[in-house]
Each structure stands twice: as structure tokens, then as C-alpha cells.
Amino acid sequence: MMYNIYLIGHFTLAVVWLGAAIYLDFTFLSGFDKATTEEKKSLIAKIGSLSDKTEMVASFFLPLLGVLMLIDRTFWLKVGTMHGKITLALLAIGLYHASRGVLRKMEAALESGNPIDTLQKKYVAFRIIVLLFLVVTVGMIVAYKSGIISTIFLIKSWLT
């Protein structure tokens, strides 16, 4: 029973993080280059605020729930796909936090009037890699389970 709760929490946080990452990356890429300095500052603040409420929470609790799931069902440690998923997830978390550091540096550079071109490229690169890692980790689980995401069926069974 606890495993199912961990699984649903893990799945929900993964969906939140992936959805927020796609939205925030799209927001940044679609509006940042054309924006004035003040609009860039506002956009960075908006991205940081939303990221604090979604991605930061997910990047903390996803590994925690993952560890709890592994403790409950240790057989997952014998599955090679899980080792790859865990590695990519940890890399995504590290790069996500690095991208937040770059975002803060961009904010400081805008405040002081320094150029941000290099920081902007670094931020975009980090975010694209994080998004790619998140999508690949989801793809690894879907491929391992032959296209079936058991969590969706579990949630449906609880709701009906």
C-alpha cells in the first residue's frame, strides 16, 4: 500500500516537473531575446518564482520518494534500466540547480548592466539538457514496461 502512495507521489511530481520545465523553457525561449532589460528582469523573476514552487519541490521530493520506493521494492535495484534512470535523474537534478545558479547570475548581470549573452546561452543549454534527461527517464520507464504506465491505471482504479 505505501509503495502505491510513493509511486503516485513520484509520478505526480515527475509530471509537475516535466510540465513546468516545458512551460518555463518555452516562456524563456519565446520572450527573452525580444524583451527590454526591465522585461528580462521581470521574466527572470517570474521564472524563478514558478520554478521555486514547482521544479524545486519536485527535484527535492522525487529522489526522496524514489529511495522510499527502492527500499520497499528492492528488486528494482536488479533492473539495469533503473540504474540508467537514476543516473539520468541525478544528472538532471544537478544541472537543474546549476541552471538556477546561472539564472541568478543573469539577474545580477542585468541589475549591474553587464552583458548576459554567455550566461543566456549557458542557461539555455542547461535547461535543454535537463528537459532531455527528464524526457529520456520517462521514456526509459515506458519502454521498460512496454508502453504501459502502471501508475495511470493505479490512479484510475483508486478513482473508480
Side-chain angles (χ1 to χ4, degrees):
M1 180 64 172
M2 285 307 293
Y3 180 83
N4 291 343
I5 292 170
Y6 300 149
L7 182 66
I8 290 172
H10 192 77
F11 177 79
T12 303
L13 287 171
V15 168
V16 166
W17 191 5
L18 190 58
I22 291 169
Y23 173 76
L24 292 175
D25 291 353
F26 177 77
T27 300
F28 183 85
L29 290 173
S30 67
F32 198 78
D33 277 338
K34 302 171 210 144
T36 65
T37 301
E38 288 306 313
E39 290 170 338
K40 287 178 181 180
K41 289 177 188 177
S42 175
L43 184 61
I44 287 173
K46 177 183 168 190
I47 287 171
S49 175
L50 186 56
S51 178
D52 287 346
K53 294 173 186 151
T54 57
E55 293 177 309
M56 182 61 89
V57 173
S59 74
F60 177 77
F61 285 106
L62 264 169
L64 176 65
L65 288 173
V67 167
L68 291 173
M69 289 166 57
L70 288 172
I71 290 170
D72 196 276
R73 306 267 169 97
T74 56
F75 73 87
W76 281 113
L77 293 173
K78 296 177 184 174
V79 177
T81 303
M82 190 58 63
H83 294 262
K85 177 194 173 285
I86 291 168
T87 301
L88 285 178
L90 290 174
L91 288 171
I93 290 168
L95 288 172
Y96 161 70
H97 289 287
S99 75
R100 286 179 57 85
V102 172
L103 190 67
R104 282 192 295 275
K105 286 181 183 179
M106 270 197 310
E107 189 173 30
L110 282 170
E111 288 293 331
S112 63
N114 293 332
I116 60 165
D117 294 339
T118 306
L119 291 170
Q120 183 178 345
K121 289 176 185 172
K122 188 185 271 189
Y123 178 76
V124 169
F126 281 156
R127 292 297 301 197
I128 288 173
I129 294 169
V130 167
L131 189 57
L132 178 67
F133 283 176
L134 292 175
V135 169
V136 169
T137 59
V138 170
M140 290 172 77
I141 295 302
V142 170
Y144 178 76
K145 294 190 172 227
S146 302
I148 300 171
I149 300 179
S150 59
T151 313
I152 293 172
F153 294 107
L154 180 63
I155 293 169
K156 253 171 58 174
S157 73
W158 283 12
L159 295 176
T160 57

